[in-house]
Amino acid sequence: MQPGGGAADETIETPPVRANWRECRQCGLVSTLPRMRPELVADCPRCANTLWRMRRHPFELPIACGLSALLFYIYALVAPFLEISAYGRFQLARIETGPVELGLQGFTLVGLLVLAVTVIFPGLKLGIVLVTLFGIKSRVVPARVLKAIFRWHGPIGPWAMVDVYLLGFLVAYTRLAAIASVHLDTALYALIGLMIMMAATDAALDTEAVWRALDAADDPCDETPVTMTSAVIGCPTCGLVNRGADGDGCRRCGTRLRPRKTESVARAWAFVVAAMLLYIPANIYPVLLITQLGASHGYTIMGGIFELADYGLWPLAMLVFLASITIPLMKLLILGYVLITTQTRSAETLLARTRAFRLIDFIGRWSMIDVFMISILVALVRFGQVSNIHAETGAPCFAAVVVLTMFAVSSFDPRLMWDALQPDDMNVNTQEAAGI
Ligand SMILES: [Zn+2]
Ligand SMILES: [Zn+2]
């Protein structure tokens, strides 16, 4: 307890938070980082979530990887990546052809989604990393501006889906090869290079080092007066532990601090219920209408999987089944379970539930494979009544399921599960940080 706690002493300074305290984003435990050295990983002592992975070259390596990714990105934007010829006619696709064609077919939102996650968000993510790191190195841009830019790196990350797009391409390619002569073009290799270099940039980037460097170059944001009632709150953007009240700004990056995400359970339920309702039409209605020599055939998601299996492409059929049927269903079931157990304040199987939540957070974006496959097929197979592929009602429903489940995962605050623990169960570190 604090010494001399009286009504008149409400403004007595509480012990300052230490720079090496971290609040785990998954279980809420505030722990002290160990003495860090390059390539050491600091995990949360309670749920094993990674708190900081320190890098030996936190600036030079991500700049090098990011620059090469940028070159691949620019090339992939301007060159075609696939050409097909059938019935004496010829079509080629650039990365934006699919979204444009989806728009022309009346599925503008699906087209915009594909354009956003394959072109806009990967570009933004690369731009944010490169501008911030160059800014730190050159000291030309004020640190305050760089902080305002870099805080978007985390939220945009999962929406840059070049890797998922390439798997969608693989599925589309095998289906196209069955009806036409397909030629891979140079931009495809640029996309593969972009995927590898973006993964390398992510692996080399040390966000904690970036925030510390930005902090060293700037005065911390205005500090709110600290009172006895001020709680310990970890910043969701930069990870710094602050002492403050609900709604205060983070000392390091200015993000509004909340002890827990606002209306987390209600918002997550709203997204889960909407996704469950759309999961039914997404599987009942066809996602594609394939016309060949005047005869049309609609394919549902399951129908597409059977077609791949009929060609003998079992690994690909399994992959699409996993991404399009299993993962969305698993996400909905796991989310429903963690939401119910959070509302009943169950303190059982906390670690298992946290791991399950981490898993669906990690794999959720891979469900976009089918949406990407559709966008590539409609971009290329446009030979009038002879051979034509058109998106159908199931496609926007399925895209909405993927997006809504991703929103549900990001709305839910897993620390709420751990709030069911009694104070006696709290780790010593939490009690120290809470000033107990
Ligand atoms: Zn934890
Ligand atoms: Zn912050």
Side-chain angles (χ1 to χ4, degrees), residues 337-372:
Y337 180 66
V338 296
L339 283 168
I340 290 169
T341 47
T342 303
Q343 285 178 303
T344 56
R345 297 190 65 75
S346 160
E348 305 293 316
T349 61
L350 280 168
L351 204 53
R353 275 187 276 150
T354 307
R355 283 194 186 130
F357 182 76
R358 213 177 289 163
L359 177 74
I360 56 170
D361 187 18
F362 177 71
I363 59 174
R365 51 207 283 286
W366 291 93
S367 300
M368 286 291 281
I369 288 177
D370 248 10
V371 179
F372 293 146

PDB file of all heavy atoms in Angstrom, residues 337-372:
ATOM      1  N   TYR A 337     -17.156 -19.661 -28.340  1.00  0.00           N
ATOM      2  CA  TYR A 337     -16.784 -20.296 -27.066  1.00  0.00           C
ATOM      3  C   TYR A 337     -16.067 -19.307 -26.142  1.00  0.00           C
ATOM      4  O   TYR A 337     -16.414 -19.188 -24.967  1.00  0.00           O
ATOM      5  CB  TYR A 337     -15.904 -21.510 -27.361  1.00  0.00           C
ATOM      6  CG  TYR A 337     -15.449 -22.241 -26.122  1.00  0.00           C
ATOM      7  CD1 TYR A 337     -16.368 -22.901 -25.307  1.00  0.00           C
ATOM      8  CD2 TYR A 337     -14.105 -22.257 -25.755  1.00  0.00           C
ATOM      9  CE1 TYR A 337     -15.957 -23.546 -24.158  1.00  0.00           C
ATOM     10  CE2 TYR A 337     -13.682 -22.903 -24.616  1.00  0.00           C
ATOM     11  CZ  TYR A 337     -14.615 -23.551 -23.816  1.00  0.00           C
ATOM     12  OH  TYR A 337     -14.205 -24.187 -22.681  1.00  0.00           O
ATOM     13  N   VAL A 338     -15.094 -18.561 -26.662  1.00  0.00           N
ATOM     14  CA  VAL A 338     -14.364 -17.633 -25.769  1.00  0.00           C
ATOM     15  C   VAL A 338     -15.283 -16.491 -25.312  1.00  0.00           C
ATOM     16  O   VAL A 338     -15.164 -16.026 -24.179  1.00  0.00           O
ATOM     17  CB  VAL A 338     -13.059 -17.046 -26.386  1.00  0.00           C
ATOM     18  CG1 VAL A 338     -12.039 -18.116 -26.658  1.00  0.00           C
ATOM     19  CG2 VAL A 338     -13.311 -16.223 -27.604  1.00  0.00           C
ATOM     20  N   LEU A 339     -16.230 -16.102 -26.164  1.00  0.00           N
ATOM     21  CA  LEU A 339     -17.137 -15.019 -25.747  1.00  0.00           C
ATOM     22  C   LEU A 339     -18.065 -15.494 -24.626  1.00  0.00           C
ATOM     23  O   LEU A 339     -18.269 -14.791 -23.636  1.00  0.00           O
ATOM     24  CB  LEU A 339     -17.955 -14.528 -26.949  1.00  0.00           C
ATOM     25  CG  LEU A 339     -17.188 -13.619 -27.918  1.00  0.00           C
ATOM     26  CD1 LEU A 339     -17.944 -13.408 -29.209  1.00  0.00           C
ATOM     27  CD2 LEU A 339     -16.907 -12.267 -27.259  1.00  0.00           C
ATOM     28  N   ILE A 340     -18.605 -16.721 -24.774  1.00  0.00           N
ATOM     29  CA  ILE A 340     -19.515 -17.236 -23.745  1.00  0.00           C
ATOM     30  C   ILE A 340     -18.752 -17.432 -22.424  1.00  0.00           C
ATOM     31  O   ILE A 340     -19.210 -17.005 -21.363  1.00  0.00           O
ATOM     32  CB  ILE A 340     -20.172 -18.557 -24.213  1.00  0.00           C
ATOM     33  CG1 ILE A 340     -21.162 -18.240 -25.339  1.00  0.00           C
ATOM     34  CG2 ILE A 340     -20.891 -19.257 -23.054  1.00  0.00           C
ATOM     35  CD1 ILE A 340     -21.684 -19.450 -26.068  1.00  0.00           C
ATOM     36  N   THR A 341     -17.552 -18.047 -22.496  1.00  0.00           N
ATOM     37  CA  THR A 341     -16.802 -18.306 -21.254  1.00  0.00           C
ATOM     38  C   THR A 341     -16.335 -16.986 -20.620  1.00  0.00           C
ATOM     39  O   THR A 341     -16.175 -16.906 -19.411  1.00  0.00           O
ATOM     40  CB  THR A 341     -15.578 -19.206 -21.513  1.00  0.00           C
ATOM     41  OG1 THR A 341     -14.886 -18.720 -22.654  1.00  0.00           O
ATOM     42  CG2 THR A 341     -15.984 -20.649 -21.722  1.00  0.00           C
ATOM     43  N   THR A 342     -16.128 -15.946 -21.441  1.00  0.00           N
ATOM     44  CA  THR A 342     -15.760 -14.647 -20.871  1.00  0.00           C
ATOM     45  C   THR A 342     -16.959 -14.052 -20.132  1.00  0.00           C
ATOM     46  O   THR A 342     -16.822 -13.503 -19.042  1.00  0.00           O
ATOM     47  CB  THR A 342     -15.315 -13.676 -21.987  1.00  0.00           C
ATOM     48  OG1 THR A 342     -14.231 -14.273 -22.681  1.00  0.00           O
ATOM     49  CG2 THR A 342     -14.869 -12.345 -21.422  1.00  0.00           C
ATOM     50  N   GLN A 343     -18.142 -14.197 -20.726  1.00  0.00           N
ATOM     51  CA  GLN A 343     -19.347 -13.632 -20.095  1.00  0.00           C
ATOM     52  C   GLN A 343     -19.725 -14.380 -18.824  1.00  0.00           C
ATOM     53  O   GLN A 343     -20.255 -13.786 -17.899  1.00  0.00           O
ATOM     54  CB  GLN A 343     -20.512 -13.644 -21.090  1.00  0.00           C
ATOM     55  CG  GLN A 343     -20.351 -12.551 -22.137  1.00  0.00           C
ATOM     56  CD  GLN A 343     -21.456 -12.559 -23.163  1.00  0.00           C
ATOM     57  OE1 GLN A 343     -21.698 -13.558 -23.826  1.00  0.00           O
ATOM     58  NE2 GLN A 343     -22.137 -11.443 -23.307  1.00  0.00           N
ATOM     59  N   THR A 344     -19.439 -15.706 -18.776  1.00  0.00           N
ATOM     60  CA  THR A 344     -19.744 -16.456 -17.547  1.00  0.00           C
ATOM     61  C   THR A 344     -18.600 -16.337 -16.535  1.00  0.00           C
ATOM     62  O   THR A 344     -18.633 -16.968 -15.492  1.00  0.00           O
ATOM     63  CB  THR A 344     -19.986 -17.947 -17.863  1.00  0.00           C
ATOM     64  OG1 THR A 344     -18.823 -18.439 -18.554  1.00  0.00           O
ATOM     65  CG2 THR A 344     -21.213 -18.147 -18.734  1.00  0.00           C
ATOM     66  N   ARG A 345     -17.575 -15.574 -16.879  1.00  0.00           N
ATOM     67  CA  ARG A 345     -16.392 -15.351 -16.029  1.00  0.00           C
ATOM     68  C   ARG A 345     -15.748 -16.661 -15.591  1.00  0.00           C
ATOM     69  O   ARG A 345     -15.363 -16.834 -14.426  1.00  0.00           O
ATOM     70  CB  ARG A 345     -16.747 -14.483 -14.819  1.00  0.00           C
ATOM     71  CG  ARG A 345     -17.208 -13.077 -15.202  1.00  0.00           C
ATOM     72  CD  ARG A 345     -17.326 -12.156 -14.006  1.00  0.00           C
ATOM     73  NE  ARG A 345     -16.045 -11.872 -13.351  1.00  0.00           N
ATOM     74  CZ  ARG A 345     -15.124 -11.049 -13.835  1.00  0.00           C
ATOM     75  NH1 ARG A 345     -15.308 -10.445 -14.975  1.00  0.00           N
ATOM     76  NH2 ARG A 345     -14.009 -10.840 -13.158  1.00  0.00           N
ATOM     77  N   SER A 346     -15.636 -17.591 -16.528  1.00  0.00           N
ATOM     78  CA  SER A 346     -14.993 -18.866 -16.227  1.00  0.00           C
ATOM     79  C   SER A 346     -13.485 -18.668 -16.111  1.00  0.00           C
ATOM     80  O   SER A 346     -12.868 -17.991 -16.938  1.00  0.00           O
ATOM     81  CB  SER A 346     -15.297 -19.868 -17.342  1.00  0.00           C
ATOM     82  OG  SER A 346     -14.358 -20.911 -17.318  1.00  0.00           O
ATOM     83  N   ALA A 347     -12.884 -19.269 -15.060  1.00  0.00           N
ATOM     84  CA  ALA A 347     -11.430 -19.164 -14.893  1.00  0.00           C
ATOM     85  C   ALA A 347     -10.743 -20.469 -15.298  1.00  0.00           C
ATOM     86  O   ALA A 347      -9.569 -20.677 -15.014  1.00  0.00           O
ATOM     87  CB  ALA A 347     -11.110 -18.808 -13.444  1.00  0.00           C
ATOM     88  N   GLU A 348     -11.497 -21.359 -15.958  1.00  0.00           N
ATOM     89  CA  GLU A 348     -10.935 -22.651 -16.387  1.00  0.00           C
ATOM     90  C   GLU A 348     -10.270 -22.499 -17.761  1.00  0.00           C
ATOM     91  O   GLU A 348     -10.656 -21.635 -18.536  1.00  0.00           O
ATOM     92  CB  GLU A 348     -12.048 -23.700 -16.500  1.00  0.00           C
ATOM     93  CG  GLU A 348     -12.892 -23.885 -15.241  1.00  0.00           C
ATOM     94  CD  GLU A 348     -12.081 -24.481 -14.099  1.00  0.00           C
ATOM     95  OE1 GLU A 348     -11.326 -25.422 -14.375  1.00  0.00           O
ATOM     96  OE2 GLU A 348     -12.190 -23.988 -12.963  1.00  0.00           O
ATOM     97  N   THR A 349      -9.350 -23.372 -18.050  1.00  0.00           N
ATOM     98  CA  THR A 349      -8.673 -23.505 -19.362  1.00  0.00           C
ATOM     99  C   THR A 349      -8.302 -22.153 -19.993  1.00  0.00           C
ATOM    100  O   THR A 349      -8.437 -21.965 -21.199  1.00  0.00           O
ATOM    101  CB  THR A 349      -9.543 -24.291 -20.369  1.00  0.00           C
ATOM    102  OG1 THR A 349     -10.778 -23.574 -20.565  1.00  0.00           O
ATOM    103  CG2 THR A 349      -9.842 -25.685 -19.912  1.00  0.00           C
ATOM    104  N   LEU A 350      -7.830 -21.220 -19.182  1.00  0.00           N
ATOM    105  CA  LEU A 350      -7.488 -19.889 -19.708  1.00  0.00           C
ATOM    106  C   LEU A 350      -6.367 -19.950 -20.745  1.00  0.00           C
ATOM    107  O   LEU A 350      -6.426 -19.301 -21.788  1.00  0.00           O
ATOM    108  CB  LEU A 350      -7.076 -18.969 -18.556  1.00  0.00           C
ATOM    109  CG  LEU A 350      -8.233 -18.379 -17.759  1.00  0.00           C
ATOM    110  CD1 LEU A 350      -7.729 -17.745 -16.482  1.00  0.00           C
ATOM    111  CD2 LEU A 350      -8.974 -17.351 -18.594  1.00  0.00           C
ATOM    112  N   LEU A 351      -5.358 -20.784 -20.430  1.00  0.00           N
ATOM    113  CA  LEU A 351      -4.201 -20.856 -21.323  1.00  0.00           C
ATOM    114  C   LEU A 351      -4.615 -21.448 -22.676  1.00  0.00           C
ATOM    115  O   LEU A 351      -4.230 -20.940 -23.731  1.00  0.00           O
ATOM    116  CB  LEU A 351      -3.103 -21.710 -20.657  1.00  0.00           C
ATOM    117  CG  LEU A 351      -1.698 -21.451 -21.121  1.00  0.00           C
ATOM    118  CD1 LEU A 351      -1.334 -19.982 -21.034  1.00  0.00           C
ATOM    119  CD2 LEU A 351      -0.721 -22.303 -20.312  1.00  0.00           C
ATOM    120  N   ALA A 352      -5.429 -22.519 -22.619  1.00  0.00           N
ATOM    121  CA  ALA A 352      -5.873 -23.171 -23.862  1.00  0.00           C
ATOM    122  C   ALA A 352      -6.719 -22.213 -24.685  1.00  0.00           C
ATOM    123  O   ALA A 352      -6.563 -22.112 -25.908  1.00  0.00           O
ATOM    124  CB  ALA A 352      -6.672 -24.428 -23.529  1.00  0.00           C
ATOM    125  N   ARG A 353      -7.597 -21.458 -24.033  1.00  0.00           N
ATOM    126  CA  ARG A 353      -8.450 -20.515 -24.764  1.00  0.00           C
ATOM    127  C   ARG A 353      -7.607 -19.401 -25.381  1.00  0.00           C
ATOM    128  O   ARG A 353      -7.863 -18.963 -26.500  1.00  0.00           O
ATOM    129  CB  ARG A 353      -9.498 -19.920 -23.816  1.00  0.00           C
ATOM    130  CG  ARG A 353     -10.724 -20.807 -23.676  1.00  0.00           C
ATOM    131  CD  ARG A 353     -11.788 -20.109 -22.869  1.00  0.00           C
ATOM    132  NE  ARG A 353     -11.591 -20.259 -21.444  1.00  0.00           N
ATOM    133  CZ  ARG A 353     -11.965 -19.346 -20.543  1.00  0.00           C
ATOM    134  NH1 ARG A 353     -12.501 -18.206 -20.931  1.00  0.00           N
ATOM    135  NH2 ARG A 353     -11.792 -19.556 -19.261  1.00  0.00           N
ATOM    136  N   THR A 354      -6.598 -18.933 -24.625  1.00  0.00           N
ATOM    137  CA  THR A 354      -5.735 -17.870 -25.167  1.00  0.00           C
ATOM    138  C   THR A 354      -4.977 -18.381 -26.390  1.00  0.00           C
ATOM    139  O   THR A 354      -4.851 -17.679 -27.395  1.00  0.00           O
ATOM    140  CB  THR A 354      -4.739 -17.392 -24.095  1.00  0.00           C
ATOM    141  OG1 THR A 354      -5.474 -17.057 -22.936  1.00  0.00           O
ATOM    142  CG2 THR A 354      -3.934 -16.195 -24.547  1.00  0.00           C
ATOM    143  N   ARG A 355      -4.492 -19.643 -26.311  1.00  0.00           N
ATOM    144  CA  ARG A 355      -3.759 -20.205 -27.458  1.00  0.00           C
ATOM    145  C   ARG A 355      -4.683 -20.356 -28.657  1.00  0.00           C
ATOM    146  O   ARG A 355      -4.295 -20.063 -29.792  1.00  0.00           O
ATOM    147  CB  ARG A 355      -3.179 -21.568 -27.073  1.00  0.00           C
ATOM    148  CG  ARG A 355      -1.953 -21.430 -26.208  1.00  0.00           C
ATOM    149  CD  ARG A 355      -1.199 -22.743 -26.129  1.00  0.00           C
ATOM    150  NE  ARG A 355      -0.100 -22.625 -25.183  1.00  0.00           N
ATOM    151  CZ  ARG A 355       0.129 -23.484 -24.203  1.00  0.00           C
ATOM    152  NH1 ARG A 355      -0.642 -24.526 -24.039  1.00  0.00           N
ATOM    153  NH2 ARG A 355       1.149 -23.308 -23.396  1.00  0.00           N
ATOM    154  N   ALA A 356      -5.921 -20.813 -28.413  1.00  0.00           N
ATOM    155  CA  ALA A 356      -6.888 -20.989 -29.510  1.00  0.00           C
ATOM    156  C   ALA A 356      -7.180 -19.642 -30.159  1.00  0.00           C
ATOM    157  O   ALA A 356      -7.240 -19.523 -31.388  1.00  0.00           O
ATOM    158  CB  ALA A 356      -8.168 -21.627 -28.987  1.00  0.00           C
ATOM    159  N   PHE A 357      -7.319 -18.607 -29.333  1.00  0.00           N
ATOM    160  CA  PHE A 357      -7.602 -17.271 -29.858  1.00  0.00           C
ATOM    161  C   PHE A 357      -6.423 -16.762 -30.704  1.00  0.00           C
ATOM    162  O   PHE A 357      -6.601 -16.189 -31.779  1.00  0.00           O
ATOM    163  CB  PHE A 357      -7.887 -16.306 -28.701  1.00  0.00           C
ATOM    164  CG  PHE A 357      -8.236 -14.925 -29.163  1.00  0.00           C
ATOM    165  CD1 PHE A 357      -9.485 -14.646 -29.694  1.00  0.00           C
ATOM    166  CD2 PHE A 357      -7.301 -13.904 -29.107  1.00  0.00           C
ATOM    167  CE1 PHE A 357      -9.801 -13.380 -30.146  1.00  0.00           C
ATOM    168  CE2 PHE A 357      -7.607 -12.626 -29.553  1.00  0.00           C
ATOM    169  CZ  PHE A 357      -8.866 -12.380 -30.074  1.00  0.00           C
ATOM    170  N   ARG A 358      -5.196 -17.031 -30.188  1.00  0.00           N
ATOM    171  CA  ARG A 358      -3.993 -16.617 -30.919  1.00  0.00           C
ATOM    172  C   ARG A 358      -3.949 -17.312 -32.283  1.00  0.00           C
ATOM    173  O   ARG A 358      -3.585 -16.714 -33.294  1.00  0.00           O
ATOM    174  CB  ARG A 358      -2.765 -17.021 -30.085  1.00  0.00           C
ATOM    175  CG  ARG A 358      -1.590 -16.083 -30.197  1.00  0.00           C
ATOM    176  CD  ARG A 358      -0.480 -16.529 -29.287  1.00  0.00           C
ATOM    177  NE  ARG A 358      -0.773 -16.332 -27.889  1.00  0.00           N
ATOM    178  CZ  ARG A 358      -0.121 -16.929 -26.879  1.00  0.00           C
ATOM    179  NH1 ARG A 358       0.842 -17.780 -27.130  1.00  0.00           N
ATOM    180  NH2 ARG A 358      -0.428 -16.682 -25.634  1.00  0.00           N
ATOM    181  N   LEU A 359      -4.356 -18.592 -32.304  1.00  0.00           N
ATOM    182  CA  LEU A 359      -4.345 -19.370 -33.543  1.00  0.00           C
ATOM    183  C   LEU A 359      -5.312 -18.773 -34.579  1.00  0.00           C
ATOM    184  O   LEU A 359      -4.931 -18.543 -35.724  1.00  0.00           O
ATOM    185  CB  LEU A 359      -4.731 -20.827 -33.247  1.00  0.00           C
ATOM    186  CG  LEU A 359      -4.825 -21.732 -34.468  1.00  0.00           C
ATOM    187  CD1 LEU A 359      -3.425 -22.058 -34.992  1.00  0.00           C
ATOM    188  CD2 LEU A 359      -5.573 -23.019 -34.145  1.00  0.00           C
ATOM    189  N   ILE A 360      -6.559 -18.472 -34.164  1.00  0.00           N
ATOM    190  CA  ILE A 360      -7.510 -17.950 -35.157  1.00  0.00           C
ATOM    191  C   ILE A 360      -7.128 -16.541 -35.600  1.00  0.00           C
ATOM    192  O   ILE A 360      -7.406 -16.142 -36.712  1.00  0.00           O
ATOM    193  CB  ILE A 360      -8.990 -18.005 -34.678  1.00  0.00           C
ATOM    194  CG1 ILE A 360      -9.183 -17.262 -33.364  1.00  0.00           C
ATOM    195  CG2 ILE A 360      -9.466 -19.430 -34.586  1.00  0.00           C
ATOM    196  CD1 ILE A 360     -10.639 -17.103 -32.999  1.00  0.00           C
ATOM    197  N   ASP A 361      -6.453 -15.813 -34.728  1.00  0.00           N
ATOM    198  CA  ASP A 361      -5.962 -14.489 -35.104  1.00  0.00           C
ATOM    199  C   ASP A 361      -4.908 -14.623 -36.205  1.00  0.00           C
ATOM    200  O   ASP A 361      -4.876 -13.865 -37.166  1.00  0.00           O
ATOM    201  CB  ASP A 361      -5.364 -13.809 -33.856  1.00  0.00           C
ATOM    202  CG  ASP A 361      -4.996 -12.359 -34.128  1.00  0.00           C
ATOM    203  OD1 ASP A 361      -5.494 -11.794 -35.111  1.00  0.00           O
ATOM    204  OD2 ASP A 361      -4.205 -11.801 -33.353  1.00  0.00           O
ATOM    205  N   PHE A 362      -4.072 -15.669 -36.074  1.00  0.00           N
ATOM    206  CA  PHE A 362      -2.968 -15.872 -37.009  1.00  0.00           C
ATOM    207  C   PHE A 362      -3.439 -16.412 -38.367  1.00  0.00           C
ATOM    208  O   PHE A 362      -2.988 -15.967 -39.412  1.00  0.00           O
ATOM    209  CB  PHE A 362      -1.947 -16.825 -36.367  1.00  0.00           C
ATOM    210  CG  PHE A 362      -0.798 -17.170 -37.259  1.00  0.00           C
ATOM    211  CD1 PHE A 362       0.170 -16.225 -37.562  1.00  0.00           C
ATOM    212  CD2 PHE A 362      -0.680 -18.445 -37.807  1.00  0.00           C
ATOM    213  CE1 PHE A 362       1.233 -16.537 -38.393  1.00  0.00           C
ATOM    214  CE2 PHE A 362       0.377 -18.762 -38.639  1.00  0.00           C
ATOM    215  CZ  PHE A 362       1.336 -17.807 -38.935  1.00  0.00           C
ATOM    216  N   ILE A 363      -4.381 -17.367 -38.342  1.00  0.00           N
ATOM    217  CA  ILE A 363      -4.740 -18.045 -39.602  1.00  0.00           C
ATOM    218  C   ILE A 363      -5.922 -17.413 -40.333  1.00  0.00           C
ATOM    219  O   ILE A 363      -6.185 -17.760 -41.477  1.00  0.00           O
ATOM    220  CB  ILE A 363      -5.051 -19.548 -39.386  1.00  0.00           C
ATOM    221  CG1 ILE A 363      -6.214 -19.715 -38.406  1.00  0.00           C
ATOM    222  CG2 ILE A 363      -3.822 -20.296 -38.931  1.00  0.00           C
ATOM    223  CD1 ILE A 363      -6.650 -21.150 -38.262  1.00  0.00           C
ATOM    224  N   GLY A 364      -6.627 -16.465 -39.679  1.00  0.00           N
ATOM    225  CA  GLY A 364      -7.880 -15.942 -40.242  1.00  0.00           C
ATOM    226  C   GLY A 364      -7.765 -15.420 -41.654  1.00  0.00           C
ATOM    227  O   GLY A 364      -8.635 -15.664 -42.499  1.00  0.00           O
ATOM    228  N   ARG A 365      -6.683 -14.687 -41.961  1.00  0.00           N
ATOM    229  CA  ARG A 365      -6.585 -14.035 -43.264  1.00  0.00           C
ATOM    230  C   ARG A 365      -6.426 -15.029 -44.415  1.00  0.00           C
ATOM    231  O   ARG A 365      -6.698 -14.697 -45.572  1.00  0.00           O
ATOM    232  CB  ARG A 365      -5.419 -13.034 -43.258  1.00  0.00           C
ATOM    233  CG  ARG A 365      -4.130 -13.634 -42.772  1.00  0.00           C
ATOM    234  CD  ARG A 365      -3.229 -12.589 -42.177  1.00  0.00           C
ATOM    235  NE  ARG A 365      -2.545 -11.780 -43.149  1.00  0.00           N
ATOM    236  CZ  ARG A 365      -1.519 -12.194 -43.883  1.00  0.00           C
ATOM    237  NH1 ARG A 365      -1.060 -13.431 -43.747  1.00  0.00           N
ATOM    238  NH2 ARG A 365      -0.944 -11.390 -44.742  1.00  0.00           N
ATOM    239  N   TRP A 366      -6.019 -16.299 -44.120  1.00  0.00           N
ATOM    240  CA  TRP A 366      -5.807 -17.275 -45.180  1.00  0.00           C
ATOM    241  C   TRP A 366      -7.114 -17.707 -45.838  1.00  0.00           C
ATOM    242  O   TRP A 366      -7.110 -18.336 -46.898  1.00  0.00           O
ATOM    243  CB  TRP A 366      -5.022 -18.484 -44.651  1.00  0.00           C
ATOM    244  CG  TRP A 366      -3.626 -18.061 -44.335  1.00  0.00           C
ATOM    245  CD1 TRP A 366      -3.158 -17.638 -43.129  1.00  0.00           C
ATOM    246  CD2 TRP A 366      -2.531 -17.945 -45.247  1.00  0.00           C
ATOM    247  NE1 TRP A 366      -1.840 -17.270 -43.231  1.00  0.00           N
ATOM    248  CE2 TRP A 366      -1.429 -17.454 -44.523  1.00  0.00           C
ATOM    249  CE3 TRP A 366      -2.382 -18.209 -46.614  1.00  0.00           C
ATOM    250  CZ2 TRP A 366      -0.190 -17.216 -45.122  1.00  0.00           C
ATOM    251  CZ3 TRP A 366      -1.140 -17.974 -47.197  1.00  0.00           C
ATOM    252  CH2 TRP A 366      -0.074 -17.480 -46.451  1.00  0.00           C
ATOM    253  N   SER A 367      -8.250 -17.381 -45.231  1.00  0.00           N
ATOM    254  CA  SER A 367      -9.538 -17.721 -45.849  1.00  0.00           C
ATOM    255  C   SER A 367      -9.778 -16.929 -47.126  1.00  0.00           C
ATOM    256  O   SER A 367     -10.686 -17.240 -47.889  1.00  0.00           O
ATOM    257  CB  SER A 367     -10.688 -17.430 -44.884  1.00  0.00           C
ATOM    258  OG  SER A 367     -10.532 -18.171 -43.724  1.00  0.00           O
ATOM    259  N   MET A 368      -8.987 -15.877 -47.363  1.00  0.00           N
ATOM    260  CA  MET A 368      -9.208 -15.038 -48.551  1.00  0.00           C
ATOM    261  C   MET A 368      -8.802 -15.736 -49.851  1.00  0.00           C
ATOM    262  O   MET A 368      -9.050 -15.203 -50.936  1.00  0.00           O
ATOM    263  CB  MET A 368      -8.433 -13.725 -48.427  1.00  0.00           C
ATOM    264  CG  MET A 368      -9.032 -12.736 -47.459  1.00  0.00           C
ATOM    265  SD  MET A 368     -10.591 -12.051 -48.018  1.00  0.00           S
ATOM    266  CE  MET A 368     -10.032 -10.822 -49.191  1.00  0.00           C
ATOM    267  N   ILE A 369      -8.188 -16.935 -49.763  1.00  0.00           N
ATOM    268  CA  ILE A 369      -7.725 -17.638 -50.966  1.00  0.00           C
ATOM    269  C   ILE A 369      -8.811 -17.701 -52.048  1.00  0.00           C
ATOM    270  O   ILE A 369      -8.572 -17.366 -53.206  1.00  0.00           O
ATOM    271  CB  ILE A 369      -7.267 -19.082 -50.598  1.00  0.00           C
ATOM    272  CG1 ILE A 369      -5.945 -19.030 -49.815  1.00  0.00           C
ATOM    273  CG2 ILE A 369      -7.092 -19.940 -51.842  1.00  0.00           C
ATOM    274  CD1 ILE A 369      -5.453 -20.388 -49.359  1.00  0.00           C
ATOM    275  N   ASP A 370     -10.035 -18.122 -51.660  1.00  0.00           N
ATOM    276  CA  ASP A 370     -11.106 -18.281 -52.645  1.00  0.00           C
ATOM    277  C   ASP A 370     -11.511 -16.955 -53.295  1.00  0.00           C
ATOM    278  O   ASP A 370     -11.808 -16.907 -54.477  1.00  0.00           O
ATOM    279  CB  ASP A 370     -12.329 -18.933 -51.980  1.00  0.00           C
ATOM    280  CG  ASP A 370     -12.551 -20.344 -52.523  1.00  0.00           C
ATOM    281  OD1 ASP A 370     -11.664 -20.844 -53.237  1.00  0.00           O
ATOM    282  OD2 ASP A 370     -13.610 -20.931 -52.253  1.00  0.00           O
ATOM    283  N   VAL A 371     -11.522 -15.883 -52.493  1.00  0.00           N
ATOM    284  CA  VAL A 371     -11.892 -14.572 -53.039  1.00  0.00           C
ATOM    285  C   VAL A 371     -10.866 -14.145 -54.094  1.00  0.00           C
ATOM    286  O   VAL A 371     -11.221 -13.646 -55.171  1.00  0.00           O
ATOM    287  CB  VAL A 371     -11.973 -13.522 -51.907  1.00  0.00           C
ATOM    288  CG1 VAL A 371     -12.341 -12.153 -52.466  1.00  0.00           C
ATOM    289  CG2 VAL A 371     -12.987 -13.940 -50.847  1.00  0.00           C
ATOM    290  N   PHE A 372      -9.571 -14.379 -53.796  1.00  0.00           N
ATOM    291  CA  PHE A 372      -8.519 -14.022 -54.753  1.00  0.00           C
ATOM    292  C   PHE A 372      -8.613 -14.880 -56.013  1.00  0.00           C
ATOM    293  O   PHE A 372      -8.429 -14.384 -57.127  1.00  0.00           O
ATOM    294  CB  PHE A 372      -7.138 -14.174 -54.108  1.00  0.00           C
ATOM    295  CG  PHE A 372      -6.898 -13.186 -52.999  1.00  0.00           C
ATOM    296  CD1 PHE A 372      -6.141 -13.529 -51.888  1.00  0.00           C
ATOM    297  CD2 PHE A 372      -7.430 -11.913 -53.056  1.00  0.00           C
ATOM    298  CE1 PHE A 372      -5.918 -12.611 -50.864  1.00  0.00           C
ATOM    299  CE2 PHE A 372      -7.213 -10.992 -52.043  1.00  0.00           C
ATOM    300  CZ  PHE A 372      -6.458 -11.348 -50.947  1.00  0.00           C
TER     301      PHE A 372
END
